[in-house]
Amino acid sequence: YLKLPRALREGFWSAARLLPESRSAKNVPGRLKRFFGGGRGDFSDAYDSWISYFGPEERARLYASARSGAAGSAPRLPGRLDSPDDIFAYELRNYLSDDLLCLADRVSMSNSLELRVPFLDVRLAGLLASAPLALKTRGFTLKALLKKIVAGRLPAEILSGPKRGFQVPLARWYWEELKGFVREVLNGGSIEKNGWLSPGYIAGMLKEHESGRRNLSDQIHSVIMFELWLASNRKLA
């Protein structure tokens, strides 16, 4: 996609911005917007955009004027990220250990379960990490090598079934059950008192989400966690 002319990619982005978003956990229109928005730059910028809740322009508006310098100093992802293999190595070192395995540990331990991750046996992980990503992925077929190995051992509906993540319905919660909680945490007075985020931007973000035009549950979740963290640390101080 990045090999297409820049003007054409900008055209796709302009068209994608008109799509109404879904409140489902998958939110396919929202994912398309993130893809086309990130696809306006180079490979590293596209990946950074895909994993970030706020783009550079949104970051600049997110912070209060007194903290606007923080938007400009937002760190870029470390190291060289010019190919899928670079991203695989980066996520293996960071996303896998600091996010996925951390959450799996917390959820299992809170339910008195001793969890094992067989695919992360050190010998198997070392072997597969040394194999090129092209061997493990075929076009849009994910886990191609794994599917080939277990073909005949698992039912066809399992092999050809869609990927299923462990997502929670944040969009619905923040629109229905937790709507009052969201408004309480992100009220203008509290945001202004904390002094980090822009009350006007946050109010606009909530209005856009509640209108149904966009699914901004991830962004809302991140600023809620940030504001609760600020309040908690102020009490400790």
Side-chain angles (χ1 to χ4, degrees), residues 13-237:
W13 164 236
S14 298
R17 295 175 70 176
L18 302 176
L19 292 172
E21 296 189 25
S22 163
R23 292 200 185 280
S24 72
K26 288 185 177 179
N27 185 22
V28 174
R31 288 172 181 257
L32 286 173
K33 287 182 180 180
R34 287 170 65 188
F35 175 83
F36 288 121
R40 293 179 294 162
D42 60 18
F43 191 90
S44 182
D45 287 338
Y47 177 68
D48 189 15
S49 172
W50 183 254
I51 65 171
S52 301
Y53 294 149
F54 298 96
E57 301 92 347
E58 292 171 314
R59 261 187 230 128
R61 300 196 302 273
L62 172 66
Y63 291 99
S65 56
R67 306 285 186 175
S68 57
S73 62
R76 287 182 60 84
L77 295 172
R80 203 189 89 194
L81 293 172
D82 297 327
S83 72
D85 280 300
D86 293 338
I87 288 175
F88 174 78
Y90 172 78
E91 293 203 342
L92 192 66
R93 293 192 306 269
N94 298 277
Y95 179 50
L96 179 66
S97 58
D98 297 343
D99 190 308
L100 297 179
L101 293 180
C102 178
L103 294 177
D105 246 5
R106 291 178 182 177
V107 172
S108 58
M109 292 170 69
S110 69
N111 289 280
S112 302
L113 292 175
E114 191 67 32
L115 181 70
R116 290 291 180 268
V117 189
F119 287 164
L120 290 186
D121 176 272
V122 65
R123 294 161 298 178
L124 181 61
L127 174 66
L128 270 297
S130 66
L133 192 61
L135 181 65
K136 294 171 278 192
T137 303
R138 290 282 186 272
F140 291 104
T141 302
L142 303 179
K143 302 183 180 179
L145 183 59
L146 176 62
K147 290 179 179 179
K148 185 175 181 180
I149 292 171
V150 299
R153 295 180 174 89
L154 292 177
E157 58 268 23
I158 298 295
L159 288 175
S160 60
K163 183 176 179 179
R164 297 174 177 87
F166 297 97
Q167 295 169 308
V168 294
L170 281 179
R172 197 200 73 211
W173 287 350
Y174 288 159
W175 170 239
E176 297 176 3
E177 295 99 318
L178 297 177
K179 187 174 181 179
F181 170 74
V182 171
R183 284 290 180 179
E184 180 183 347
V185 175
L186 300 181
N187 72 80
S190 176
I191 295 287
E192 189 170 7
K193 181 180 178 181
N194 288 335
W196 271 94
L197 305 180
S198 165
Y201 180 83
I202 299 299
M205 186 173 67
L206 293 178
K207 184 177 179 181
E208 190 77 356
H209 180 76
E210 292 171 0
S211 71
R213 289 187 296 268
R214 297 196 57 197
N215 181 343
L216 298 174
S217 52
D218 288 332
Q219 292 89 333
I220 293 171
H221 184 73
S222 65
V223 295
I224 284 177
M225 294 301 108
F226 181 64
E227 287 294 312
L228 291 175
W229 177 84
L230 282 176
S232 175
N233 279 272
R234 186 178 297 110
K235 290 177 183 177
L236 292 175

